[in-house]
């Protein structure tokens, strides 16, 4: 007779272990969730503090320039009003100020009618930079009547005289080819008998807006960060989107609403209303920030900072990823949360379905739950890996001239040390129209252009080459003209380039294509620089250099950007060519792409799952003979092998990819299922096979299959 207490002890042991594991797993899961939320909160707080500091730094640098500009103008006006500076000394003083402060664009003084001298009606000397950066003199009165209130060009004078206080203005400068900002303040003449002061004219100090923009770019606001400057009427003086410049916030809102699809119009209208209110607050001199989610789901902060000019303001948009979280740590934490949650659900199913009773239907339910939990665990890891982008490029992202200026200055300094002339800078751009990505090559077509200075040393070859090209480069000149002192040459090209792309994580792979562009002739003293002026946006998420209609089959193009890479040659090429190989970096155009999941899932994952289901069904339904078992096993094996071979052919990878381990698992499962079926049909006297018509195999089939698949996924993607 069996001992009932012994059976009772086993049941209690199963329940106790399951309960203990359930409580422990729940506690661990909650702890990991708490830890993750704390780290995310701290990261967000650090990112916000850093972003706020950077935005404040941008505003303070611009304000410092504006204060200095104002002080110079006020100083000249004060000296004119006090008589310390005679009217006849104004021209030398303006030229002196410009010589002492070459960062400014120009300086002017405009006298009221007959204030300069009783015999001189108008007099307005103006020193400013020409297109070559040299100071030139212009008599404004010879160009237009600056006292005419009907003339829009004369607003800087007429409004300042009318307001009788310092005023800020901006307009487009033809010579500077940019917006110029000028501060204008009145000066006076004093009646020696009565001591009464009357307006005698105005003094203006002019600054290029490019200097303010440079201040923004000198400060780290992230790869995706941008800024805008608005005036007292909420009209954009400068905006990273040039289409918005000169428009008010209301006009921009109307434009965005018109462009938005019908289902987004209400959202755009709501956001525009908030934005309009924010710019109104900033124009009143208030400093604050707003937290928003971008259209791509990224968290961003908009910092509103008032400027020295009354009503003017600076809006700086900085994204949370300015302080990028450690992707490895984030993946590890989220996977740990998933592991603890899976353990909790599996142990909870043992308690809920009362496995201690040993009833077959209860064990089936537990087997099903465990299999589903393991499948959900695989899906969870896929989601984490697919949603968290990995930065594979080791290059700095070049988004504007300020990014590369330090690099170029170092190159020039190294050239001087080596008694070599500084390398010629050749702006280079690219627009890709066609792209095909394979595991070891990338084929692309598009336009490539370069801007060469008109004065070049003899022997300079005006062309570019792709060092990694495979086979023949098809290239033809598309256009050739001169503009602004540069010779601009554009080519249309078609080329296949060798690439080292890591597809070992297929289908969850992310690749970085590095398109290296070199000068046409080896040894030329030329450094290629990105042609920033030719692109509307340089933020990587806007994918500069890629046609908006570009489609790469089976790939989702994520980002693109220019970068530099220093080539480390271990040869002197025969010593015939003097190479600055250690100082001249190679220009790299980077494209980051992520594989689309739809095609691999349909072509391979569903096949794997269907074969596994059919094998389970074959072992569940009794077969009449061993031949039937072998036939089913062979058919399933060949079906899986064909799909596997198709995968190998498509990706052309020398190693074993992540998804291929699933096929290997499938082969082992088919083999195990076939052996199991043969042994059952042969009536082998093995208790585990004969028990309840092969019940043990059926119960363990899906948990073992899904468990192995989960372990493959875990070992592949868990950060070490």
């Amino acid at each position: 007779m069996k001992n009932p207490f012994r059976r009772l002890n086993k049941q209690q042991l199963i329940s106790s272990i399951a309960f203990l594991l359930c409580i422990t797993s729940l506690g661990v899961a909650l702890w990991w969730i708490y830890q993750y939320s704390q780290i995310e909160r701290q990261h967000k707080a650090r990112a916000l503090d850093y972003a706020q500091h950077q935005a404040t730094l941008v505003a303070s640098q611009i304000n410092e320039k504006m204060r200095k500009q104002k002080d110079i103008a006020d100083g000249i006006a004060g000296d004119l009003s006090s008589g310390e500076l005679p009217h006849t000394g104004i021209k030398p003083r303006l030229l002196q100020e410009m010589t002492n402060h070459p960062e400014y664009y120009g300086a002017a003084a405009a006298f009221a009618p007959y204030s300069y001298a009783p015999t001189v009606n108008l007099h307005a000397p103006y020193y400013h930079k020409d297109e070559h950066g040299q100071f030139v003199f212009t008599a404004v009165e010879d160009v237009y009547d600056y006292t005419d209130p009907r003339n829009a060009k004369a607003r800087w004078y007429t409004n300042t005289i009318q307001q009788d206080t310092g005023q800020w203005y901006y307009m487009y400068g033809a010579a500077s080819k940019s917006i110029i900002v000028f501060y204008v303040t009145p000066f006076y003449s004093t009646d020696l008998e009565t001591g009464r002061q009357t307006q005698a004219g105005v003094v203006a100090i002019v600054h290029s807006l490019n200097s303010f923009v440079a201040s923004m770019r000198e400060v780290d606001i992230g790869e995706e960060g941008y800024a805008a400057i608005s005036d007292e009427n909420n009209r954009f003086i400068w905006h990273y989107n040039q289409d918005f410049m000169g428009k008010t916030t209301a006009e921009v809102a109307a434009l965005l609403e018109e462009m938005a699809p019908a289902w987004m119009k209400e959202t755009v209208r709501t956001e525009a209303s908030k934005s309009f209110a924010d710019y109104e607050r900033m124009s009143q001199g208030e400093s604050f920030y707003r937290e928003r989610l971008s259209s791509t789901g990224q968290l961003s902060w908009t910092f509103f900072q008032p400027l020295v000019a009354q009503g003017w303001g600076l809006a700086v948009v900085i994204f949370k990823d300015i302080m990028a979280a450690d992707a490895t740590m984030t993946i590890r934490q989220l996977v740990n949360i998933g592991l603890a949650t899976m353990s909790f659900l599996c142990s909870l199913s043992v308690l809920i379905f009362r496995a201690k009773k040993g009833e077959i239907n209860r064990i089936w339910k537990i087997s099903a739950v465990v299999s589903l939990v393991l499948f959900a665990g695989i899906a969870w890891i896929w989601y984490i890996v697919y949603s968290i982008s990995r930065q594979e490029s080791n290059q700095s992202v070049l988004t504007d001239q300020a990014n590369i200026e330090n690099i170029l200055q170092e190159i020039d300094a190294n050239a001087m040390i080596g008694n070599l002339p500084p390398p010629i800078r050749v702006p280079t751009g690219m627009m890709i129209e066609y792209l095909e990505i394979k595991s070891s090559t990338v084929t692309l077509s598009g336009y490539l252009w370069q801007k060469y200075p008109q004065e070049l040393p003899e022997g300079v070859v005006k062309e570019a080459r792709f060092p990694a090209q495979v086979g023949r480069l098809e290239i033809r000149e598309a256009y050739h003209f001169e503009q602004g002192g540069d010779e601009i040459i554009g080519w249309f090209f078609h080329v296949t380039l060798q690439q080292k792309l890591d597809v070992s994580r297929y289908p969850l792979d992310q690749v970085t294509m590095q398109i290296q562009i070199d000068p046409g002739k080896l040894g030329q003293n030329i450094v290629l620089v990105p042609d920033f002026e030719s692109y509307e946006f340089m933020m990587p998420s806007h994918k500069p250099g890629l046609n908006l209609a570009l489609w790469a089959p089976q790939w989702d193009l994520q980002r693109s950007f220019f970068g530099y890479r220093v080539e480390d040659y271990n040869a002197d090429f025969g010593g015939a060519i003097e190479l600055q190989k250690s100082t001249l970096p190679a220009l790299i155009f980077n494209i980051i792409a992520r594989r689309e999941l739809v095609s691999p899932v349909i072509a391979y994952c569903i096949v794997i799952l269907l074969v596994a289901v059919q094998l389970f069904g074959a072992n569940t339904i009794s077969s009449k003979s061993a031949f039937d078992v072998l036939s089913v096993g062979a058919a399933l094996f060949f079906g899986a092998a064909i799909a596997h071979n198709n995968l190998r052919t498509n990706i052309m990878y020398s190693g074993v990819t992540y998804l291929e381990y699933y096929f290997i698992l499938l082969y082992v499962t088919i083999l195990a299922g076939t052996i199991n079926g043969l042994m059952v049909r042969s009536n082998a006297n093995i208790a585990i096979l004969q028990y309840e018509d092969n019940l043990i195999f059926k119960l363990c089939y899906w948990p073992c299959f899904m468990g192995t698949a989960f372990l493959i996924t875990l070992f592949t993607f868990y950060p070490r």
Side-chain angles (χ1 to χ4, degrees):
M1 182 177 179
K2 294 182 180 180
N3 186 349
F5 294 101
R6 186 176 181 182
R7 178 178 177 83
L8 180 63
N9 289 339
K10 288 182 179 179
Q11 292 176 348
Q12 289 179 341
L13 182 62
I14 291 173
S15 298
S16 299
I17 292 175
F19 179 76
L20 181 62
L21 186 59
C22 182
I23 295 299
T24 303
S25 301
L26 178 60
V28 172
L30 293 175
W31 169 253
W32 276 113
I33 292 173
Y34 172 76
Q35 284 287 94
Y36 176 73
S37 62
Q38 284 292 101
I39 291 175
E40 281 293 295
R41 191 177 296 112
Q42 293 171 5
H43 170 67
K44 178 182 176 182
R46 288 196 302 269
L48 176 59
D49 289 343
Y50 181 75
Q52 195 159 19
H53 172 74
Q54 296 303 99
T56 303
L57 185 59
V58 173
S60 64
Q61 288 188 1
I62 294 177
N63 278 329
E64 180 62 28
K65 291 181 178 180
M66 296 182 78
R67 289 191 188 96
K68 187 177 179 181
Q69 183 178 356
K70 180 177 181 297
D71 290 343
I72 294 173
D74 288 341
I76 298 174
D79 290 346
L80 285 169
S81 299
S82 66
E84 183 177 339
L85 176 64
H87 291 180
T88 54
I90 188 61
K91 289 175 65 176
R93 176 65 177 273
L94 294 176
L95 183 58
Q96 178 187 355
E97 292 291 351
M98 288 301 93
T99 304
N100 294 340
H101 304 93
E103 67 273 17
Y104 290 106
Y105 176 73
F111 288 83
Y114 301 104
S115 293
Y116 177 74
T119 59
V120 178
N121 181 13
L122 300 178
H123 183 63
Y126 179 30
Y127 283 98
H128 60 94
K129 291 180 180 178
D130 61 12
E131 59 183 9
H132 302 295
Q134 302 298 319
F135 284 113
V136 295
F137 174 78
T138 297
V140 179
E141 69 274 12
D142 293 339
V143 181
Y144 62 89
D145 182 1
Y146 58 83
T147 63
D148 185 0
R150 297 167 299 177
N151 189 344
K153 291 183 178 180
R155 188 170 62 94
W156 60 277
Y157 176 86
T158 56
N159 281 14
T160 305
I161 291 295
Q162 183 180 358
Q163 297 294 329
D164 197 27
T165 185
Q167 301 288 317
W168 289 90
Y169 304 94
Y170 63 93
M171 63 182 296
Y172 181 79
S176 64
K177 297 180 182 179
S178 68
I179 302 294
I180 55 174
V181 176
F182 43 106
Y183 174 74
V184 187
T185 187
F187 64 90
Y188 307 90
S189 60
T190 304
D191 190 316
L192 298 178
E193 295 182 0
T194 63
R196 181 172 173 269
Q197 285 191 329
T198 57
Q199 290 179 338
V202 299
V203 174
I205 298 296
V206 187
H207 212 334
S208 172
L209 188 66
N210 288 341
S211 175
F212 295 170
V213 175
S215 296
M216 303 179 203
R217 292 171 174 169
E218 289 170 0
V219 177
D220 178 22
I221 59 176
E223 297 174 4
E224 304 293 332
Y226 58 90
I229 299 176
S230 60
D231 65 10
E232 66 277 9
N233 298 315
N234 295 331
R235 187 179 301 276
F236 287 115
I237 304 172
W238 186 87
H239 197 285
Y240 82 100
N241 186 340
Q242 296 184 4
D243 292 338
F244 296 168
M245 290 175 59
K247 293 182 173 64
T248 65
T249 52
E251 292 170 340
V252 170
L255 179 63
L256 293 176
E257 184 178 345
E258 180 182 348
M259 295 170 56
W263 60 273
M264 280 191 63
K265 287 188 182 296
E266 186 60 35
T267 303
V268 171
R269 194 178 298 116
T270 302
E271 288 299 316
S273 177
K274 294 178 182 178
S275 180
F276 181 78
D278 289 339
Y279 276 93
E280 277 290 324
R281 287 178 59 186
M282 181 174 64
S283 66
Q284 299 300 319
E286 190 173 348
S287 177
F288 61 99
Y289 78 92
R290 288 287 189 194
E291 180 176 300
R292 288 191 177 94
L293 283 176
S294 68
S295 57
T296 58
Q298 294 176 286
L299 180 67
S300 67
W301 300 287
T302 303
F303 298 91
F304 296 90
Q305 299 280 344
L307 297 177
V308 169
Q310 182 67 35
W312 289 22
L314 171 71
V316 183
V317 179
I318 300 179
F319 289 82
K320 177 189 172 185
D321 62 4
I322 189 173
M323 293 183 65
D326 186 349
T328 298
M329 179 181 293
T330 301
I331 293 175
R332 185 185 295 120
Q333 289 173 329
L334 291 175
V335 171
N336 288 340
I337 292 173
L339 288 172
T341 304
M342 291 169 61
S343 176
F344 166 72
L345 293 175
C346 290
S347 55
L348 182 63
S349 68
V350 173
L351 294 175
I352 292 177
F353 297 118
R354 300 182 181 179
K356 65 181 182 179
K357 292 189 175 183
E359 298 174 3
I360 293 177
N361 65 327
R362 296 180 183 274
I363 304 300
W364 268 115
K365 292 177 182 178
I366 294 172
S367 174
V369 170
V370 170
S371 301
L372 289 174
V373 168
L374 290 167
F375 181 80
I378 296 172
W380 172 243
I381 294 177
W382 275 43
Y383 170 76
I384 294 170
V385 173
Y386 196 73
S387 59
I388 297 179
S389 177
R390 306 184 310 277
Q391 180 69 21
E392 295 183 357
S393 175
N394 57 0
Q395 305 165 36
S396 299
V397 179
L398 306 178
T399 57
D400 52 53
Q401 192 65 31
N403 289 138
I404 64 172
E405 200 56 44
N406 290 336
I407 300 174
L408 297 177
Q409 289 177 2
E410 183 178 351
I411 292 172
D412 291 346
N414 290 336
M416 291 180 63
I417 294 174
N419 292 321
L420 296 171
I424 302 167
R425 303 178 184 183
V426 177
T428 303
M430 174 181 286
M431 179 60 65
I432 296 177
E433 305 281 349
Y434 168 81
L435 180 65
E436 182 182 359
I437 306 171
K438 295 183 179 179
S439 60
S440 59
T441 61
V442 56
T443 301
L444 56 146
S445 300
Y447 291 92
L448 174 72
W449 65 88
Q450 293 186 311
K451 297 179 179 179
Y452 289 93
Q454 291 185 352
E455 296 182 2
L456 286 174
E458 293 184 5
V460 172
V461 177
K462 299 176 182 178
E463 61 182 39
R465 62 187 179 91
F466 301 97
Q469 75 180 64
V470 178
R472 180 172 172 268
L473 168 65
E474 299 178 20
I475 187 168
R476 67 177 185 272
E477 188 174 295
Y479 52 87
H480 192 161
F481 60 93
E482 295 182 0
Q483 184 182 71
D486 291 330
E487 182 182 2
I488 302 174
I489 309 175
W491 301 271
F492 183 83
F493 68 92
H494 179 85
V495 66
T496 298
L497 303 176
Q498 186 77 32
Q499 294 286 304
K500 186 178 181 181
L501 305 179
D502 182 11
V503 295
S504 62
R505 294 187 168 197
Y506 179 91
L508 300 177
D509 45 338
Q510 174 183 287
V511 298
T512 300
M513 290 151 281
Q514 299 185 346
I515 303 169
Q516 180 174 339
I517 310 169
D518 281 357
K521 183 179 178 182
L522 188 65
Q524 291 188 135
N525 191 26
I526 288 178
V527 58
L528 304 184
V529 298
D531 184 19
F532 298 116
E533 295 180 353
S534 296
Y535 294 98
E536 185 175 5
F537 304 113
M538 289 302 297
M539 291 176 286
S541 64
H542 284 74
K543 293 176 274 195
L546 303 182
N547 190 310
L548 295 178
L550 179 64
W551 173 66
Q554 301 185 14
W555 291 92
D556 179 19
L557 304 179
Q558 299 281 299
R559 307 162 72 229
S560 64
F561 59 91
F562 284 98
Y564 275 141
R565 182 178 66 205
V566 177
E567 296 295 313
D568 186 15
Y569 298 117
N570 58 0
D572 62 1
F573 296 87
I577 302 174
E578 185 177 5
L579 296 176
Q580 298 185 47
K581 58 188 179 185
S582 62
T583 57
L584 294 184
L587 182 63
I588 311 292
F589 182 66
N590 299 268
I591 306 174
I592 297 179
R594 183 176 61 187
R595 193 181 298 273
E596 294 178 343
L597 288 179
V598 176
S599 180
V601 167
I602 294 176
Y604 307 116
C605 296
I606 291 179
V607 171
I608 293 171
L609 189 59
L610 286 178
V611 171
V613 170
Q614 288 177 323
L615 181 63
F616 177 73
N619 281 273
T620 302
I621 301 172
S622 299
S623 301
K624 294 181 180 179
S625 64
F627 178 77
D628 293 339
V629 175
L630 289 173
S631 298
V632 172
L636 295 177
F637 170 77
F638 282 115
I642 290 172
H644 186 189
N645 183 66
N646 186 44
L647 185 153
R648 296 283 304 175
T649 302
N650 285 338
I651 62 174
M652 300 178 64
Y653 182 62
S654 59
V656 180
T657 64
Y658 159 66
L659 195 60
E660 286 184 272
Y661 285 108
Y662 278 62
F663 281 99
I664 295 172
L665 168 62
L666 197 57
Y667 299 149
V668 173
T669 305
I670 292 172
L671 179 62
T674 302
I675 294 173
N676 174 79
L678 290 173
M679 295 181 69
V680 170
R681 300 302 169 263
S682 65
N683 295 319
N685 189 21
I686 302 176
I688 195 172
L689 297 177
Q690 300 300 328
Y691 178 74
E692 294 290 339
D693 190 24
N694 201 23
L695 179 64
I696 303 300
F697 179 86
K698 298 173 186 176
L699 287 173
C700 295
Y701 180 87
W702 284 112
C704 289
F705 183 84
M706 288 297 177
T708 307
F710 177 77
L711 289 176
I712 291 172
T713 304
L714 185 65
F715 283 116
T716 301
F717 296 109
Y718 190 82
R720 294 170 178 81

